[in-house]
Amino acid sequence: MPPIKIGIVGLGKIARDQHLPALAANPDFDLVAVASRNASQEGVASFATLEEMLEAMPELDAVSLCTPPTVRYGQARQALRAGKHVMLEKPPGATLSEVEDLAQLAESSPGSLFATWHSRYAPAVEPARQWLASRRIRKVHIEWKEDVRVWHPGQRWIWEPGGMGVFDPAINALSIVTAILPRRFFLHEGTLQFPENCQAPIAANLYFSDSQDTPITADLDFLQTGPQTWDIHIETDEGNLALRKGGSQMFVDDQLEHEAPEQEYPGLYARFAELVARRESDVDVAPLRHVADAFLLGRRETVAAFHDEG
Amino acid sequence: MPPIKIGIVGLGKIARDQHLPALAANPDFDLVAVASRNASQEGVASFATLEEMLEAMPELDAVSLCTPPTVRYGQARQALRAGKHVMLEKPPGATLSEVEDLAQLAESSPGSLFATWHSRYAPAVEPARQWLASRRIRKVHIEWKEDVRVWHPGQRWIWEPGGMGVFDPAINALSIVTAILPRRFFLHEGTLQFPENCQAPIAANLYFSDSQDTPITADLDFLQTGPQTWDIHIETDEGNLALRKGGSQMFVDDQLEHEAPEQEYPGLYARFAELVARRESDVDVAPLRHVADAFLLGRRETVAAFHDEG
């Protein structure tokens, strides 16, 4: 099969840091265009908008949308209707309903739709899923604590409606847990702490369970200074598993069992190439659905105002 | 086919006012049991719990769950696993994720699952859907304004997490609009007003659109005194439609075109009998998904405290 001719839309930090290198390293793809209002890429046809890119390059097979979630729906729809394969950064949309609409459109389109969750491609995630598959799970605890001032300096959008606050990182944890646990789970109660000057929570405590009443808890914090924590702890009838550092390390009973270099975006593009070859879509809204459920069912507490400068 | 032997779980106001009369009038059903912690029904086997009912009456074909949404998941799961057909009051659950789990379970169960939306069976809803199907829709406006003190006196649960506040009535409007419009739609922005002493909004303004950029707006208010408003206005290229009184009247260009006696619950049970006969399920989460989207994406404003006594 000849390489998939792909265009990137939205040439921001995530595109430059992750998408461009992953594409450059993957012979299944040929990056032939970018669309970006403010930037261009040397050696590649550059356009101001997706519309212009689609118009000028009918030979394009696929587009990868690295734009903010609020504008992604219209772009994804336009590309799918033009018969292109479409890859979406996470989260796949600003609402569940628009993602549902895209998923339905993809079913009747020639192009594949891939709603990505990059953390699912962290190196220890698949080993963890396999290790858990044969064991009885007793308890799950997610601890996702980072310092917003370090990771999102000056990014005011994260506190606006739809910005999701602490769920912007925590949706990565939810994307891992929904991938490695053998059963669906759902929220029973939760507490979301909203700074008095923000439209999104800065911390949350969530209590889920599954159909077998397995307790699944999450402790999310966006004000963690010092060591940062992106860990998932799972107690089973045959030992305890810990996924640490965002899924890059797997420990069993405190012994490091699996560790490998970070390869999340290369993993995403390998999966996208597979979907395109099979003409299949992969749209799992479960992580975003859990966030929406938390906003729907969670108790709101107002806490001290958040100011970026500390 | 012999009548479907059905048991009601949760003998509260909605069961007595709507479910019992609808079942009594439908020869496809034979009400043989009720399960309720606090009440019993003359002439029918009465149990304290669903568990006891299932244990004592293996001949039961179906159960209708009229319990609060927070306990419905466990009951629905138990009944489906016992091979029963299950009907759920609205909303079908406290979270989208638990409804998704039930829908998946129903797919591999012998029983049918029916997540009901009673307002879809208001008499003018189906005529409206048909009238709209051949027209080009330009604009939709939902106006759903009622007095919570009249309709939910002393019901503090409606203001607790998961109680949904003004969305408790407004989800009926969303269930109608999702049934009559030809295309899916989704939220772009919204404002939710939370009384300072409540965990649920007392008013909301929502701005949706569909894939053709049709503007769809909603004005929701839970403090409407005087005349109450449950109306949906739709402008088309061939006249304007208004659904009034919660879907019981249809006007075209201000002329009353359709009106019939209220038959929502008889309509629900007729549909349930049809699903049981066909061994099919009907689980549409779209109305609840729109509510979750509004909580996820809406801007929160704090307004004056709400006190039931006025």
Side-chain angles (χ1 to χ4, degrees), chain A residues 1-302:
Chain A
M1 209 174 76
I4 299 160
K5 293 189 186 67
I6 193 167
I8 282 188
V9 184
L11 209 58
K13 185 169 162 52
I14 192 75
R16 292 191 182 280
D17 289 355
Q18 300 288 351
H19 291 257
L20 293 180
L23 281 170
N26 189 330
D28 288 338
F29 290 95
D30 188 6
L31 178 68
V32 296
V34 298
S36 174
R37 269 183 305 181
N38 318 308
S40 63
Q41 177 70 1
E42 209 176 326
V44 171
S46 296
F47 302 93
T49 65
L50 168 63
E51 214 149 11
E52 290 172 27
M53 184 168 86
L54 293 173
E55 176 78 21
M57 303 195 77
E59 71 273 29
L60 209 63
D61 300 308
V63 298
S64 182
L65 301 181
C66 306
T67 40
T70 45
V71 301
R72 239 179 258 149
Y73 168 82
Q75 294 173 338
R77 191 166 181 100
Q78 196 176 7
L80 283 171
R81 296 195 86 145
K84 310 304 178 191
H85 307 288
V86 175
M87 180 162 138
L88 299 171
E89 252 296 346
K90 69 104 198 177
T95 62
L96 290 163
S97 300
E98 70 186 38
V99 182
E100 175 67 21
D101 194 57
L102 289 180
Q104 297 285 335
L105 177 62
E107 277 189 20
S108 57
S109 301
S112 301
L113 178 64
F114 182 25
T116 66
W117 298 104
H118 64 79
S119 291
R120 287 185 176 172
Y121 293 81
V125 169
E126 178 55 20
R129 189 189 66 74
Q130 288 178 22
W131 190 89
L132 290 167
S134 63
R135 288 172 171 83
R136 187 170 154 68
I137 296 168
R138 292 189 173 139
K139 196 172 157 183
V140 178
H141 182 62
I142 300 165
E143 204 180 348
W144 221 257
K145 298 178 171 180
E146 64 176 57
D147 187 344
V148 63
R149 293 189 177 92
V150 171
W151 302 101
H152 297 276
Q155 293 181 26
R156 185 67 208 172
W157 62 266
I158 218 164
W159 303 112
E160 294 298 322
M164 302 206 305
V166 73
F167 286 99
D168 179 77
I171 202 169
N172 293 330
L174 291 167
S175 76
I176 293 174
V177 176
T178 48
I180 64 176
L181 294 185
R183 284 176 296 278
R184 280 175 295 276
F185 56 91
F186 31 86
L187 191 68
H188 287 281
E189 54 181 84
T191 304
L192 277 57
Q193 297 190 327
F194 286 71
E196 61 180 21
N197 62 339
C198 294
Q199 287 285 335
I202 199 160
N205 278 282
L206 305 173
Y207 171 61
F208 304 87
S209 73
D210 63 12
S211 61
Q212 299 191 6
D213 296 325
T214 312
I216 301 166
T217 51
D219 187 358
L220 315 178
D221 189 1
F222 224 169
L223 286 177
Q224 173 89 341
T225 53
Q228 307 283 288
T229 312
W230 299 285
D231 293 352
I232 298 165
H233 301 273
I234 305 182
E235 290 180 27
T236 79
D237 59 343
E238 294 175 57
N240 297 329
L241 180 133
L243 272 178
R244 295 189 181 275
K245 298 190 177 175
S248 62
Q249 296 176 330
M250 169 174 144
F251 292 80
V252 173
D253 295 331
D254 298 321
Q255 296 291 314
L256 182 62
E257 294 274 324
H258 197 96
E259 183 171 28
E262 196 271 293
Q263 290 282 320
E264 295 181 8
Y265 282 78
L268 288 181
Y269 278 100
R271 171 72 174 147
F272 189 37
E274 190 181 275
L275 289 169
V276 167
R278 296 188 191 159
R279 297 285 187 273
E280 286 175 8
S281 290
D282 177 348
V283 183
D284 180 10
V285 299
L288 184 59
R289 190 165 55 212
H290 282 303
V291 176
D293 282 341
F295 276 76
L296 180 65
L297 186 60
R299 177 174 295 277
R300 284 176 183 71
E301 289 177 3
T302 302

Side-chain angles (χ1 to χ4, degrees), chain B:
Chain B
M1 208 175 76
I4 300 159
K5 293 189 186 68
I6 193 169
I8 282 188
V9 184
L11 210 57
K13 183 169 162 54
I14 192 76
R16 292 192 183 281
D17 289 355
Q18 299 289 351
H19 291 257
L20 293 181
L23 282 170
N26 188 330
D28 287 338
F29 289 94
D30 188 7
L31 177 69
V32 297
V34 299
S36 175
R37 267 183 306 181
N38 318 308
S40 63
Q41 177 69 2
E42 210 176 326
V44 171
S46 296
F47 303 94
T49 66
L50 168 64
E51 213 150 12
E52 291 172 26
M53 184 168 88
L54 292 174
E55 175 79 22
M57 303 193 78
E59 69 273 29
L60 208 64
D61 300 307
V63 298
S64 182
L65 300 181
C66 306
T67 40
T70 44
V71 301
R72 238 179 259 149
Y73 168 81
Q75 294 173 338
R77 191 166 181 101
Q78 196 175 8
L80 283 171
R81 296 195 85 145
K84 310 304 178 191
H85 308 287
V86 176
M87 180 162 138
L88 298 171
E89 251 296 346
K90 69 106 201 178
T95 62
L96 290 164
S97 300
E98 69 185 38
V99 181
E100 175 66 20
D101 193 58
L102 289 180
Q104 296 284 335
L105 177 62
E107 277 189 20
S108 58
S109 300
S112 300
L113 178 64
F114 181 25
T116 67
W117 299 105
H118 64 78
S119 291
R120 287 185 176 172
Y121 292 81
V125 169
E126 178 56 21
R129 189 189 68 73
Q130 289 177 21
W131 189 89
L132 290 167
S134 63
R135 288 171 171 83
R136 188 170 153 68
I137 296 168
R138 291 190 175 140
K139 195 171 160 185
V140 179
H141 183 61
I142 300 165
E143 204 180 351
W144 221 256
K145 298 179 172 180
E146 64 175 57
D147 187 345
V148 63
R149 293 188 176 94
V150 170
W151 302 101
H152 297 277
Q155 292 183 25
R156 186 65 208 173
W157 63 266
I158 217 164
W159 303 112
E160 295 298 322
M164 300 204 308
V166 73
F167 286 99
D168 178 77
I171 203 169
N172 294 329
L174 292 167
S175 76
I176 293 174
V177 176
T178 48
I180 64 176
L181 294 185
R183 282 176 297 278
R184 279 175 296 276
F185 56 92
F186 30 86
L187 192 68
H188 286 282
E189 54 181 84
T191 304
L192 277 57
Q193 299 190 325
F194 286 70
E196 62 180 21
N197 62 339
C198 294
Q199 287 286 335
I202 199 160
N205 279 281
L206 306 172
Y207 170 63
F208 305 87
S209 74
D210 62 13
S211 60
Q212 299 190 6
D213 295 325
T214 312
I216 301 167
T217 51
D219 188 358
L220 315 177
D221 189 0
F222 224 169
L223 287 177
Q224 172 89 342
T225 53
Q228 307 284 286
T229 312
W230 298 286
D231 293 352
I232 298 164
H233 301 272
I234 304 181
E235 290 181 27
T236 81
D237 59 342
E238 296 175 57
N240 297 330
L241 179 131
L243 270 178
R244 294 189 180 275
K245 298 190 177 175
S248 62
Q249 295 176 331
M250 169 173 143
F251 291 80
V252 173
D253 295 330
D254 298 321
Q255 295 291 315
L256 182 62
E257 294 274 324
H258 196 95
E259 182 170 30
E262 196 272 292
Q263 290 282 321
E264 294 182 9
Y265 282 77
L268 287 181
Y269 278 100
R271 171 73 173 147
F272 190 36
E274 190 181 276
L275 289 169
V276 168
R278 296 189 192 159
R279 296 286 187 273
E280 286 175 8
S281 290
D282 177 349
V283 183
D284 179 10
V285 299
L288 184 59
R289 191 165 53 213
H290 282 303
V291 176
D293 283 340
F295 276 76
L296 180 66
L297 186 58
R299 178 174 293 277
R300 286 176 181 70
E301 290 178 2
T302 302
V303 296
F306 172 77
H307 300 288
D308 211 15
E309 59 282 8

